[in-house]
Amino acid sequence: MTKSADIGLIGLAVMGENLVLNMESKGFTVAVYNRTVEKVDKFIHGRGAGKNFIGAHSIEELVASLERPRKVMLLVKAGQAVDDFIEQIIPHLEPGDIIIDGGNSYFVDTIRRAKYVESKGFLYIGTGVSGGEIGALHGPSMMPGGSVEAWPAVKNIFQSIAAKVDDGTPCCDWVGSDGAGHFVKMVHNGIEYGDMQIIGEAYQVMRDLLGMSADEMHEVFKKWNTEELDSYLIEITADIMAYKDEDGKPMVDKILDTAGQKGTGKWTGTAALDLGIPLTLIGESVFARFLSAQKDMRVEASKVISGPKPTFTGDKVQLLDDLKMALYGAKIISYAQGYNLFMAAAKEYDWKLNYGDIALMWRGGCIIRSAFLGDIKKAFDTNPELPHLLLDGFFKQKVEGAQDGWRRVCAAALINGIPAPALTSALCYLDGFRSEWLPANLLQAQRDYFGAHTYERIDKPRGQFFHTNWTGEGGDTVSTAYNS
Ligand code: 2AM
Protein backbone atom coordinates (compact mmCIF):
# COMPACT_ATOMS: atom_id res chain seq x y z
CA MET A 1 0.00 0.00 0.00
CA THR A 2 1.51 3.36 -0.98
CA LYS A 3 -0.57 5.87 0.95
CA SER A 4 -1.09 5.70 4.68
CA ALA A 5 -4.14 6.91 6.53
CA ASP A 6 -4.42 9.26 9.51
CA ILE A 7 -7.24 7.23 11.03
CA GLY A 8 -9.22 4.08 10.29
CA LEU A 9 -12.96 3.70 10.69
CA ILE A 10 -15.00 0.54 11.04
CA GLY A 11 -18.74 0.80 10.45
CA LEU A 12 -20.02 2.34 7.25
CA ALA A 13 -23.59 3.06 8.26
CA VAL A 14 -24.83 6.62 7.84
CA MET A 15 -23.08 8.04 10.94
CA GLY A 16 -19.79 6.39 9.98
CA GLU A 17 -19.96 7.52 6.38
CA ASN A 18 -20.79 11.08 7.33
CA LEU A 19 -18.08 11.25 9.96
CA VAL A 20 -15.36 10.04 7.58
CA LEU A 21 -16.57 12.43 4.86
CA ASN A 22 -16.25 15.20 7.44
CA MET A 23 -12.70 14.05 8.35
CA GLU A 24 -11.69 13.84 4.70
CA SER A 25 -13.05 17.31 4.01
CA LYS A 26 -10.74 18.63 6.74
CA GLY A 27 -7.69 17.16 4.99
CA PHE A 28 -7.36 13.77 6.69
CA THR A 29 -6.90 10.49 4.84
CA VAL A 30 -9.23 7.85 6.23
CA ALA A 31 -9.10 4.07 5.82
CA VAL A 32 -12.52 2.43 5.99
CA TYR A 33 -13.79 -1.06 6.68
CA ASN A 34 -17.19 -2.63 7.29
CA ARG A 35 -18.36 -6.08 8.42
CA THR A 36 -20.36 -6.45 5.23
CA VAL A 37 -17.35 -5.82 3.00
CA GLU A 38 -19.34 -4.91 -0.14
CA LYS A 39 -20.30 -1.67 1.60
CA VAL A 40 -16.62 -0.63 1.53
CA ASP A 41 -16.46 -0.74 -2.28
CA LYS A 42 -19.89 0.81 -2.56
CA PHE A 43 -18.69 3.75 -0.45
CA ILE A 44 -15.32 4.09 -2.18
CA HIS A 45 -17.00 4.19 -5.60
CA GLY A 46 -20.01 6.15 -4.37
CA ARG A 47 -19.99 8.98 -1.80
CA GLY A 48 -16.25 8.56 -1.30
CA ALA A 49 -15.28 8.58 -4.99
CA GLY A 50 -12.32 10.78 -5.91
CA LYS A 51 -11.58 11.50 -2.26
CA ASN A 52 -8.77 10.57 0.11
CA PHE A 53 -10.10 7.25 1.34
CA ILE A 54 -8.45 3.85 1.51
CA GLY A 55 -10.89 0.96 1.25
CA ALA A 56 -9.84 -2.01 3.39
CA HIS A 57 -11.28 -5.49 2.91
CA SER A 58 -10.09 -6.93 6.21
CA ILE A 59 -9.19 -5.69 9.68
CA GLU A 60 -5.58 -6.61 8.96
CA GLU A 61 -5.52 -4.48 5.81
CA LEU A 62 -7.20 -1.61 7.66
CA VAL A 63 -4.69 -1.63 10.51
CA ALA A 64 -1.74 -2.02 8.11
CA SER A 65 -2.77 1.13 6.24
CA LEU A 66 -2.59 3.38 9.32
CA GLU A 67 0.10 5.79 10.44
CA ARG A 68 1.45 5.17 13.93
CA PRO A 69 0.23 5.49 16.56
CA ARG A 70 -2.66 3.74 14.82
CA LYS A 71 -6.12 5.07 15.48
CA VAL A 72 -8.96 2.67 14.78
CA MET A 73 -12.41 4.13 15.32
CA LEU A 74 -15.53 1.99 15.68
CA LEU A 75 -18.94 3.32 14.71
CA VAL A 76 -20.91 0.13 14.99
CA LYS A 77 -24.00 -1.00 16.82
CA ALA A 78 -23.54 -0.63 20.59
CA GLY A 79 -23.09 -3.87 22.54
CA GLN A 80 -21.44 -7.11 21.55
CA ALA A 81 -20.26 -5.84 18.14
CA VAL A 82 -17.87 -3.43 19.91
CA ASP A 83 -16.38 -6.23 22.03
CA ASP A 84 -16.06 -8.48 18.99
CA PHE A 85 -14.19 -5.84 17.00
CA ILE A 86 -11.89 -5.04 19.91
CA GLU A 87 -10.88 -8.72 19.99
CA GLN A 88 -10.30 -8.71 16.24
CA ILE A 89 -8.25 -5.51 16.23
CA ILE A 90 -5.99 -6.17 19.24
CA PRO A 91 -3.78 -8.86 17.60
CA HIS A 92 -2.76 -6.36 14.90
CA LEU A 93 -1.83 -3.47 17.21
CA GLU A 94 1.46 -2.30 18.68
CA PRO A 95 1.96 -0.50 22.02
CA GLY A 96 0.63 3.06 21.93
CA ASP A 97 -2.01 2.31 19.29
CA ILE A 98 -5.53 3.54 20.00
CA ILE A 99 -8.97 1.98 19.70
CA ILE A 100 -11.80 4.53 19.65
CA ASP A 101 -15.45 3.72 20.18
CA GLY A 102 -17.62 6.50 18.73
CA GLY A 103 -20.91 4.62 19.13
CA ASN A 104 -23.62 5.04 21.73
CA SER A 105 -22.07 2.65 24.23
CA TYR A 106 -23.23 2.32 27.82
CA PHE A 107 -20.59 4.03 29.97
CA VAL A 108 -20.25 0.98 32.22
CA ASP A 109 -19.19 -1.05 29.15
CA THR A 110 -16.72 1.70 28.24
CA ILE A 111 -15.18 1.61 31.73
CA ARG A 112 -14.71 -2.15 31.35
CA ARG A 113 -13.34 -1.93 27.80
CA ALA A 114 -10.92 0.90 28.62
CA LYS A 115 -9.45 -1.13 31.48
CA TYR A 116 -9.26 -4.23 29.30
CA VAL A 117 -7.59 -2.55 26.31
CA GLU A 118 -5.16 -0.71 28.61
CA SER A 119 -4.31 -4.01 30.30
CA LYS A 120 -3.23 -5.29 26.88
CA GLY A 121 -0.83 -2.34 26.47
CA PHE A 122 -2.97 -0.24 24.13
CA LEU A 123 -4.98 2.95 24.53
CA TYR A 124 -8.75 3.33 24.48
CA ILE A 125 -11.14 6.20 23.87
CA GLY A 126 -14.91 6.08 24.25
CA THR A 127 -16.36 9.19 22.68
CA GLY A 128 -19.87 10.53 22.58
CA VAL A 129 -20.77 11.89 19.15
CA SER A 130 -23.91 13.98 19.06
CA GLY A 131 -25.76 15.83 16.35
CA GLY A 132 -27.22 12.98 14.34
CA GLU A 133 -26.29 12.36 10.71
CA ILE A 134 -26.15 16.01 9.79
CA GLY A 135 -23.94 16.80 12.76
CA ALA A 136 -21.61 13.95 11.85
CA LEU A 137 -21.20 15.40 8.37
CA HIS A 138 -20.94 19.11 9.16
CA GLY A 139 -19.69 19.22 12.74
CA PRO A 140 -20.86 17.13 15.68
CA SER A 141 -20.41 17.75 19.37
CA MET A 142 -17.81 15.24 20.57
CA MET A 143 -17.22 14.09 24.14
CA PRO A 144 -14.11 11.90 24.34
CA GLY A 145 -12.89 10.08 27.44
CA GLY A 146 -10.57 7.16 28.17
CA SER A 147 -6.78 6.82 28.15
CA VAL A 148 -5.57 10.40 28.51
CA GLU A 149 -2.25 9.57 26.75
CA ALA A 150 -4.31 9.02 23.58
CA TRP A 151 -5.74 12.53 23.55
CA PRO A 152 -2.79 14.38 21.92
CA ALA A 153 -2.85 11.86 19.06
CA VAL A 154 -6.53 12.39 18.20
CA LYS A 155 -7.11 15.96 19.40
CA ASN A 156 -6.40 17.60 16.05
CA ILE A 157 -8.66 15.25 14.10
CA PHE A 158 -11.51 15.47 16.63
CA GLN A 159 -11.38 19.22 17.10
CA SER A 160 -11.11 19.80 13.34
CA ILE A 161 -14.29 17.88 12.60
CA ALA A 162 -16.29 19.08 15.62
CA ALA A 163 -18.82 21.91 15.53
CA LYS A 164 -17.48 25.33 16.49
CA VAL A 165 -19.13 28.01 18.61
CA ASP A 166 -19.17 31.63 17.43
CA ASP A 167 -15.64 32.43 18.61
CA GLY A 168 -14.31 29.31 16.85
CA THR A 169 -13.95 27.15 19.97
CA PRO A 170 -14.54 23.51 19.03
CA CYS A 171 -17.39 21.62 20.70
CA CYS A 172 -14.99 18.87 21.69
CA ASP A 173 -12.56 18.59 24.56
CA TRP A 174 -11.17 15.89 26.78
CA VAL A 175 -13.78 14.79 29.32
CA GLY A 176 -12.01 12.35 31.65
CA SER A 177 -10.82 8.80 32.15
CA ASP A 178 -12.41 5.48 31.06
CA GLY A 179 -16.20 5.90 30.63
CA ALA A 180 -16.43 9.66 31.35
CA GLY A 181 -17.02 10.63 27.70
CA HIS A 182 -19.84 8.16 27.22
CA PHE A 183 -21.32 9.15 30.58
CA VAL A 184 -21.45 12.80 29.52
CA LYS A 185 -23.04 11.76 26.21
CA MET A 186 -25.60 9.67 28.07
CA VAL A 187 -26.58 12.61 30.28
CA HIS A 188 -26.73 14.78 27.16
CA ASN A 189 -29.30 12.38 25.77
CA GLY A 190 -31.23 12.37 29.06
CA ILE A 191 -31.33 16.16 29.01
CA GLU A 192 -32.54 15.95 25.42
CA TYR A 193 -35.47 13.80 26.63
CA GLY A 194 -36.22 16.44 29.26
CA ASP A 195 -36.05 19.41 26.91
CA MET A 196 -38.34 17.61 24.45
CA GLN A 197 -40.83 16.66 27.16
CA ILE A 198 -41.23 20.18 28.54
CA ILE A 199 -41.71 21.53 25.02
CA GLY A 200 -44.35 18.83 24.49
CA GLU A 201 -46.14 19.85 27.67
CA ALA A 202 -46.14 23.51 26.61
CA TYR A 203 -47.57 22.40 23.26
CA GLN A 204 -50.40 20.54 24.99
CA VAL A 205 -51.24 23.55 27.17
CA MET A 206 -51.34 25.78 24.08
CA ARG A 207 -53.36 23.27 22.11
CA ASP A 208 -55.85 22.01 24.71
CA LEU A 209 -56.17 24.90 27.15
CA LEU A 210 -55.68 27.89 24.86
CA GLY A 211 -57.15 26.18 21.78
CA MET A 212 -54.32 27.42 19.55
CA SER A 213 -53.76 26.29 15.97
CA ALA A 214 -50.44 24.89 14.73
CA ASP A 215 -49.84 28.13 12.82
CA GLU A 216 -50.36 30.20 15.96
CA MET A 217 -48.01 27.92 17.88
CA HIS A 218 -45.46 28.24 15.10
CA GLU A 219 -45.40 32.00 15.75
CA VAL A 220 -44.99 31.51 19.50
CA PHE A 221 -42.11 29.03 19.17
CA LYS A 222 -40.47 31.23 16.55
CA LYS A 223 -40.59 34.19 18.93
CA TRP A 224 -39.34 32.10 21.86
CA ASN A 225 -36.37 31.06 19.76
CA THR A 226 -35.20 34.69 19.74
CA GLU A 227 -35.34 34.97 23.55
CA GLU A 228 -34.11 33.03 26.62
CA LEU A 229 -35.22 29.73 25.09
CA ASP A 230 -33.12 30.15 21.91
CA SER A 231 -32.22 26.55 21.08
CA TYR A 232 -32.21 23.95 18.33
CA LEU A 233 -35.20 22.07 19.78
CA ILE A 234 -37.38 25.20 19.99
CA GLU A 235 -36.30 26.10 16.46
CA ILE A 236 -37.26 22.73 14.98
CA THR A 237 -40.52 22.77 16.94
CA ALA A 238 -41.39 26.07 15.25
CA ASP A 239 -40.60 24.47 11.87
CA ILE A 240 -42.66 21.38 12.67
CA MET A 241 -45.70 23.49 13.62
CA ALA A 242 -45.57 25.19 10.20
CA TYR A 243 -45.14 22.01 8.17
CA LYS A 244 -48.23 20.95 6.20
CA ASP A 245 -49.20 17.51 4.93
CA GLU A 246 -50.23 17.08 1.28
CA ASP A 247 -53.81 18.06 2.14
CA GLY A 248 -52.60 21.37 3.57
CA LYS A 249 -53.31 20.33 7.17
CA PRO A 250 -50.57 20.45 9.85
CA MET A 251 -48.35 17.37 9.65
CA VAL A 252 -47.95 17.27 13.42
CA ASP A 253 -51.67 16.46 13.83
CA LYS A 254 -51.31 13.37 11.64
CA ILE A 255 -48.64 11.72 13.75
CA LEU A 256 -49.60 8.96 16.18
CA ASP A 257 -49.02 10.02 19.79
CA THR A 258 -46.74 7.20 20.96
CA ALA A 259 -43.09 7.97 21.59
CA GLY A 260 -40.21 5.64 20.89
CA GLN A 261 -36.86 5.53 22.65
CA LYS A 262 -33.52 3.83 22.28
CA GLY A 263 -32.73 3.64 25.98
CA THR A 264 -30.24 6.40 26.75
CA GLY A 265 -32.83 8.34 28.79
CA LYS A 266 -33.51 5.20 30.78
CA TRP A 267 -29.76 4.72 31.35
CA THR A 268 -29.53 8.27 32.68
CA GLY A 269 -32.41 7.60 35.06
CA THR A 270 -30.83 4.34 36.17
CA ALA A 271 -27.49 6.06 36.82
CA ALA A 272 -29.32 8.66 38.93
CA LEU A 273 -31.08 5.96 40.95
CA ASP A 274 -27.78 4.12 41.42
CA LEU A 275 -25.99 7.27 42.56
CA GLY A 276 -28.88 8.54 44.71
CA ILE A 277 -29.45 11.77 42.79
CA PRO A 278 -32.92 13.34 42.38
CA LEU A 279 -32.99 13.55 38.59
CA THR A 280 -36.73 14.07 38.53
CA LEU A 281 -37.23 15.92 35.27
CA ILE A 282 -35.42 13.39 33.10
CA GLY A 283 -37.07 10.56 35.05
CA GLU A 284 -40.54 12.01 34.39
CA SER A 285 -39.65 12.44 30.72
CA VAL A 286 -38.74 8.77 30.36
CA PHE A 287 -41.92 7.72 32.17
CA ALA A 288 -44.00 10.09 30.03
CA ARG A 289 -42.72 8.30 26.93
CA PHE A 290 -43.64 4.97 28.50
CA LEU A 291 -47.16 6.27 29.24
CA SER A 292 -47.51 7.59 25.70
CA ALA A 293 -46.62 4.12 24.41
CA GLN A 294 -49.58 2.62 26.32
CA LYS A 295 -51.85 4.05 23.63
CA ASP A 296 -54.47 1.31 23.50
CA MET A 297 -54.98 1.35 27.25
CA ARG A 298 -55.16 5.16 27.24
CA VAL A 299 -57.83 5.05 24.55
CA GLU A 300 -59.87 2.68 26.74
CA ALA A 301 -59.32 4.79 29.85
CA SER A 302 -60.31 7.98 28.04
CA LYS A 303 -63.74 6.47 27.46
CA VAL A 304 -64.39 5.54 31.08
CA ILE A 305 -62.52 7.95 33.36
CA SER A 306 -63.78 11.50 33.33
CA GLY A 307 -61.94 14.67 34.31
CA PRO A 308 -62.23 18.43 33.95
CA LYS A 309 -62.89 19.89 30.52
CA PRO A 310 -60.11 22.41 29.84
CA THR A 311 -61.53 25.92 29.89
CA PHE A 312 -59.53 29.10 29.88
CA THR A 313 -60.99 32.47 30.71
CA GLY A 314 -57.88 34.44 31.65
CA ASP A 315 -55.40 36.53 29.69
CA LYS A 316 -53.97 34.41 26.88
CA VAL A 317 -50.96 36.66 26.27
CA GLN A 318 -50.12 36.46 29.97
CA LEU A 319 -50.41 32.67 30.01
CA LEU A 320 -48.12 32.39 26.99
CA ASP A 321 -45.55 34.50 28.77
CA ASP A 322 -46.02 32.34 31.88
CA LEU A 323 -45.51 29.27 29.74
CA LYS A 324 -42.20 30.59 28.49
CA MET A 325 -41.15 31.17 32.10
CA ALA A 326 -42.28 27.65 33.02
CA LEU A 327 -40.11 26.20 30.26
CA TYR A 328 -37.18 28.35 31.26
CA GLY A 329 -37.49 27.51 34.97
CA ALA A 330 -37.90 23.79 34.30
CA LYS A 331 -34.96 23.82 31.93
CA ILE A 332 -32.77 25.35 34.64
CA ILE A 333 -33.90 22.59 37.01
CA SER A 334 -33.18 19.89 34.44
CA TYR A 335 -29.60 21.06 33.86
CA ALA A 336 -29.06 21.65 37.57
CA GLN A 337 -30.13 18.06 38.20
CA GLY A 338 -27.93 16.79 35.36
CA TYR A 339 -24.92 18.60 36.82
CA ASN A 340 -25.77 17.24 40.25
CA LEU A 341 -25.55 13.79 38.65
CA PHE A 342 -22.18 14.64 37.05
CA MET A 343 -20.77 15.62 40.42
CA ALA A 344 -21.93 12.40 42.05
CA ALA A 345 -20.56 10.32 39.15
CA ALA A 346 -17.22 12.14 39.25
CA LYS A 347 -16.90 11.18 42.90
CA GLU A 348 -18.02 7.59 42.39
CA TYR A 349 -15.87 6.89 39.33
CA ASP A 350 -12.95 9.15 40.21
CA TRP A 351 -13.36 11.45 37.20
CA LYS A 352 -12.13 15.03 37.10
CA LEU A 353 -14.89 16.55 35.01
CA ASN A 354 -14.58 20.10 33.77
CA TYR A 355 -18.18 21.24 34.14
CA GLY A 356 -17.82 24.48 32.19
CA ASP A 357 -16.21 22.71 29.24
CA ILE A 358 -19.02 20.16 29.15
CA ALA A 359 -21.50 23.02 28.67
CA LEU A 360 -19.28 24.38 25.91
CA MET A 361 -19.13 20.99 24.17
CA TRP A 362 -22.94 21.04 24.05
CA ARG A 363 -23.06 24.66 22.89
CA GLY A 364 -22.95 23.70 19.22
CA GLY A 365 -23.42 20.68 16.98
CA CYS A 366 -25.72 18.66 19.21
CA ILE A 367 -29.46 18.36 19.70
CA ILE A 368 -29.55 20.25 23.02
CA ARG A 369 -27.49 23.18 21.73
CA SER A 370 -28.80 26.44 23.11
CA ALA A 371 -27.82 29.92 24.15
CA PHE A 372 -28.51 28.85 27.75
CA LEU A 373 -25.40 26.63 27.81
CA GLY A 374 -23.22 29.72 27.56
CA ASP A 375 -24.67 30.82 30.93
CA ILE A 376 -23.77 27.43 32.46
CA LYS A 377 -20.21 27.82 31.20
CA LYS A 378 -20.08 31.29 32.79
CA ALA A 379 -21.38 29.95 36.11
CA PHE A 380 -18.53 27.42 36.32
CA ASP A 381 -15.97 29.96 35.08
CA THR A 382 -17.06 32.22 37.95
CA ASN A 383 -16.88 29.38 40.47
CA PRO A 384 -15.29 26.10 39.33
CA GLU A 385 -16.27 24.60 42.72
CA LEU A 386 -19.95 25.53 42.37
CA PRO A 387 -21.78 22.74 44.25
CA HIS A 388 -25.15 23.16 42.49
CA LEU A 389 -26.28 25.26 39.53
CA LEU A 390 -29.18 26.77 41.51
CA LEU A 391 -26.65 28.25 43.93
CA ASP A 392 -25.07 30.30 41.14
CA GLY A 393 -26.17 33.95 41.35
CA PHE A 394 -27.41 34.13 37.75
CA PHE A 395 -29.48 30.93 37.83
CA LYS A 396 -30.84 31.62 41.33
CA GLN A 397 -32.11 34.97 40.11
CA LYS A 398 -33.55 33.51 36.88
CA VAL A 399 -35.37 30.71 38.65
CA GLU A 400 -36.80 33.18 41.18
CA GLY A 401 -37.93 35.40 38.34
CA ALA A 402 -39.54 32.51 36.46
CA GLN A 403 -41.46 31.00 39.32
CA ASP A 404 -44.61 33.15 39.46
CA GLY A 405 -45.54 32.44 35.84
CA TRP A 406 -44.36 28.86 36.15
CA ARG A 407 -46.65 28.32 39.19
CA ARG A 408 -49.61 29.78 37.28
CA VAL A 409 -48.98 27.39 34.38
CA CYS A 410 -48.72 24.36 36.68
CA ALA A 411 -51.86 25.37 38.56
CA ALA A 412 -53.76 25.86 35.30
CA ALA A 413 -52.59 22.50 33.96
CA LEU A 414 -53.53 20.65 37.15
CA ILE A 415 -56.94 22.33 37.48
CA ASN A 416 -57.76 21.66 33.84
CA GLY A 417 -56.61 18.06 33.85
CA ILE A 418 -53.71 18.59 31.43
CA PRO A 419 -50.76 16.35 32.28
CA ALA A 420 -47.55 18.32 32.76
CA PRO A 421 -45.40 15.86 34.73
CA ALA A 422 -42.03 17.42 33.93
CA LEU A 423 -43.04 21.07 34.42
CA THR A 424 -44.83 20.35 37.70
CA SER A 425 -42.31 17.94 39.20
CA ALA A 426 -39.49 20.36 38.38
CA LEU A 427 -41.34 23.01 40.38
CA CYS A 428 -41.76 20.54 43.26
CA TYR A 429 -38.02 19.90 43.09
CA LEU A 430 -37.34 23.62 43.33
CA ASP A 431 -39.62 23.89 46.34
CA GLY A 432 -37.96 20.87 47.93
CA PHE A 433 -34.48 22.15 47.19
CA ARG A 434 -35.18 25.54 48.74
CA SER A 435 -36.80 23.97 51.84
CA GLU A 436 -34.78 24.06 55.00
CA TRP A 437 -37.24 21.56 56.44
CA LEU A 438 -38.80 18.58 54.69
CA PRO A 439 -41.12 16.01 56.28
CA ALA A 440 -38.44 13.33 56.43
CA ASN A 441 -38.50 13.48 60.22
CA LEU A 442 -41.86 11.73 60.00
CA LEU A 443 -40.39 9.19 57.55
CA GLN A 444 -37.63 8.43 60.01
CA ALA A 445 -40.17 8.11 62.84
CA GLN A 446 -42.17 5.64 60.72
CA ARG A 447 -39.03 3.70 59.79
CA ASP A 448 -38.02 3.55 63.42
CA TYR A 449 -41.57 2.58 64.48
CA PHE A 450 -41.91 -0.42 62.16
CA GLY A 451 -38.29 -1.42 61.62
CA ALA A 452 -36.19 0.05 64.45
CA HIS A 453 -34.14 1.89 61.78
CA THR A 454 -33.23 4.67 64.28
CA TYR A 455 -33.13 8.44 63.75
CA GLU A 456 -30.92 11.44 64.45
CA ARG A 457 -32.22 14.27 66.66
CA ILE A 458 -32.26 18.01 66.00
CA ASP A 459 -31.00 18.65 69.53
CA LYS A 460 -28.05 16.22 69.33
CA PRO A 461 -24.91 16.14 67.12
CA ARG A 462 -25.17 14.47 63.69
CA GLY A 463 -24.07 10.86 63.65
CA GLN A 464 -25.72 9.91 66.95
CA PHE A 465 -28.59 7.51 66.37
CA PHE A 466 -31.61 6.99 68.61
CA HIS A 467 -34.37 4.46 68.83
CA THR A 468 -37.73 4.81 70.52
CA ASN A 469 -39.81 1.90 71.72
CA TRP A 470 -42.96 3.39 70.12
CA THR A 471 -45.41 0.67 71.12
CA GLY A 472 -43.89 -0.52 74.36
CA GLU A 473 -43.38 -3.92 72.76
CA GLY A 474 -40.34 -3.37 70.54
CA GLY A 475 -37.54 -3.37 73.08
CA ASP A 476 -34.21 -1.62 72.52
CA THR A 477 -32.70 -3.70 69.71
CA VAL A 478 -32.10 -1.56 66.60
CA SER A 479 -32.20 -2.78 63.01
CA THR A 480 -28.46 -2.59 62.37
CA ALA A 481 -28.10 -5.25 65.07
CA TYR A 482 -30.61 -7.48 63.27
CA ASN A 483 -28.80 -7.00 59.96
CA SER A 484 -25.28 -7.61 61.14
P1 2AM B 1 -23.10 -4.20 8.61
O1 2AM B 1 -23.10 -3.17 7.54
O2 2AM B 1 -22.26 -5.37 8.28
O3 2AM B 1 -24.48 -4.56 9.09
C1 2AM B 1 -24.42 0.01 12.07
O4 2AM B 1 -25.35 -0.99 12.17
C2 2AM B 1 -23.04 -0.55 11.76
O5 2AM B 1 -22.70 -1.55 12.73
C3 2AM B 1 -22.92 -1.21 10.41
O6 2AM B 1 -21.65 -0.89 9.92
C4 2AM B 1 -23.03 -2.68 10.74
O7 2AM B 1 -22.37 -3.54 9.87
C5 2AM B 1 -22.34 -2.73 12.08
N1 2AM B 1 -22.77 -3.88 12.88
C6 2AM B 1 -23.99 -4.08 13.41
N2 2AM B 1 -24.01 -5.22 14.12
C7 2AM B 1 -22.78 -5.76 14.02
C8 2AM B 1 -22.17 -6.94 14.54
N3 2AM B 1 -22.84 -7.77 15.33
N4 2AM B 1 -20.88 -7.16 14.23
C9 2AM B 1 -20.21 -6.30 13.45
N5 2AM B 1 -20.72 -5.18 12.93
C10 2AM B 1 -21.99 -4.91 13.21
Side-chain angles (χ1 to χ4, degrees), residues 11-13 34-36 39 75-77 81 85:
L12 286 174
N34 192 69
R35 173 183 64 170
T36 309
K39 288 191 190 166
L75 259 179
V76 298
K77 196 167 166 232
F85 274 122

Short mmCIF file of all heavy atoms in Angstrom, two decimals, residues 11-13 34-36 39 75-77 81 85, ligand 1:
data_model
loop_
_atom_site.label_atom_id
_atom_site.label_comp_id
_atom_site.label_asym_id
_atom_site.label_seq_id
_atom_site.Cartn_x
_atom_site.Cartn_y
_atom_site.Cartn_z
N GLY A 11 -17.30 0.58 10.28
CA GLY A 11 -18.74 0.80 10.45
C GLY A 11 -19.26 1.85 9.49
O GLY A 11 -19.38 3.03 9.84
N LEU A 12 -19.56 1.39 8.26
CA LEU A 12 -20.02 2.34 7.25
C LEU A 12 -21.55 2.39 7.17
O LEU A 12 -22.13 2.17 6.13
CB LEU A 12 -19.42 1.99 5.88
CG LEU A 12 -17.94 2.34 5.72
CD1 LEU A 12 -17.40 1.82 4.40
CD2 LEU A 12 -17.71 3.85 5.83
N ALA A 13 -22.18 2.68 8.30
CA ALA A 13 -23.59 3.06 8.26
C ALA A 13 -23.61 4.58 8.09
O ALA A 13 -22.55 5.18 7.91
CB ALA A 13 -24.29 2.60 9.53
N ASN A 34 -15.86 -2.31 6.79
CA ASN A 34 -17.19 -2.63 7.29
C ASN A 34 -17.36 -4.15 7.31
O ASN A 34 -16.81 -4.85 6.46
CB ASN A 34 -18.26 -2.01 6.39
CG ASN A 34 -19.64 -2.05 7.01
OD1 ASN A 34 -19.91 -1.37 7.99
ND2 ASN A 34 -20.52 -2.90 6.47
N ARG A 35 -18.14 -4.63 8.32
CA ARG A 35 -18.36 -6.08 8.42
C ARG A 35 -18.86 -6.65 7.10
O ARG A 35 -18.33 -7.61 6.57
CB ARG A 35 -19.36 -6.39 9.55
CG ARG A 35 -19.76 -7.85 9.59
CD ARG A 35 -20.78 -8.10 10.66
NE ARG A 35 -22.06 -7.41 10.42
CZ ARG A 35 -23.16 -7.65 11.11
NH1 ARG A 35 -23.15 -8.53 12.09
NH2 ARG A 35 -24.27 -6.99 10.85
N THR A 36 -19.89 -6.04 6.56
CA THR A 36 -20.36 -6.45 5.23
C THR A 36 -19.46 -5.71 4.23
O THR A 36 -19.63 -4.51 3.98
CB THR A 36 -21.84 -6.03 5.04
OG1 THR A 36 -22.57 -6.52 6.16
CG2 THR A 36 -22.42 -6.60 3.76
N LYS A 39 -19.98 -3.08 1.33
CA LYS A 39 -20.30 -1.67 1.60
C LYS A 39 -19.05 -0.79 1.49
O LYS A 39 -19.16 0.41 1.25
CB LYS A 39 -20.91 -1.51 3.00
CG LYS A 39 -22.32 -2.05 3.07
CD LYS A 39 -23.02 -1.68 4.35
CE LYS A 39 -24.32 -2.45 4.49
NZ LYS A 39 -24.87 -2.39 5.85
N LEU A 75 -17.61 2.70 14.67
CA LEU A 75 -18.94 3.32 14.71
C LEU A 75 -19.94 2.23 14.34
O LEU A 75 -20.53 2.25 13.26
CB LEU A 75 -19.02 4.49 13.74
CG LEU A 75 -18.90 5.88 14.40
CD1 LEU A 75 -18.95 6.99 13.40
CD2 LEU A 75 -19.95 6.10 15.47
N VAL A 76 -20.04 1.27 15.24
CA VAL A 76 -20.91 0.13 14.99
C VAL A 76 -21.98 0.06 16.07
O VAL A 76 -21.95 0.81 17.03
CB VAL A 76 -20.10 -1.20 14.94
CG1 VAL A 76 -19.09 -1.15 13.79
CG2 VAL A 76 -19.42 -1.49 16.26
N LYS A 77 -22.90 -0.84 15.88
CA LYS A 77 -24.00 -1.00 16.82
C LYS A 77 -23.46 -1.21 18.24
O LYS A 77 -22.54 -2.02 18.43
CB LYS A 77 -24.81 -2.21 16.37
CG LYS A 77 -26.15 -2.31 16.96
CD LYS A 77 -26.97 -3.35 16.21
CE LYS A 77 -28.18 -3.67 17.03
NZ LYS A 77 -28.36 -5.08 17.25
N ALA A 81 -21.06 -6.12 19.34
CA ALA A 81 -20.26 -5.84 18.14
C ALA A 81 -18.98 -5.10 18.51
O ALA A 81 -17.91 -5.35 17.93
CB ALA A 81 -21.08 -5.03 17.14
N PHE A 85 -15.21 -6.54 17.80
CA PHE A 85 -14.19 -5.84 17.00
C PHE A 85 -12.92 -5.58 17.81
O PHE A 85 -11.82 -5.70 17.27
CB PHE A 85 -14.75 -4.53 16.42
CG PHE A 85 -15.47 -4.73 15.11
CD1 PHE A 85 -16.79 -4.36 14.95
CD2 PHE A 85 -14.80 -5.29 14.02
CE1 PHE A 85 -17.45 -4.54 13.74
CE2 PHE A 85 -15.45 -5.47 12.81
CZ PHE A 85 -16.77 -5.10 12.66
P1 2AM B 1 -23.10 -4.20 8.61
O1 2AM B 1 -23.10 -3.17 7.54
O2 2AM B 1 -22.26 -5.37 8.28
O3 2AM B 1 -24.48 -4.56 9.09
C1 2AM B 1 -24.42 0.01 12.07
O4 2AM B 1 -25.35 -0.99 12.17
C2 2AM B 1 -23.04 -0.55 11.76
O5 2AM B 1 -22.70 -1.55 12.73
C3 2AM B 1 -22.92 -1.21 10.41
O6 2AM B 1 -21.65 -0.89 9.92
C4 2AM B 1 -23.03 -2.68 10.74
O7 2AM B 1 -22.37 -3.54 9.87
C5 2AM B 1 -22.34 -2.73 12.08
N1 2AM B 1 -22.77 -3.88 12.88
C6 2AM B 1 -23.99 -4.08 13.41
N2 2AM B 1 -24.01 -5.22 14.12
C7 2AM B 1 -22.78 -5.76 14.02
C8 2AM B 1 -22.17 -6.94 14.54
N3 2AM B 1 -22.84 -7.77 15.33
N4 2AM B 1 -20.88 -7.16 14.23
C9 2AM B 1 -20.21 -6.30 13.45
N5 2AM B 1 -20.72 -5.18 12.93
C10 2AM B 1 -21.99 -4.91 13.21
#
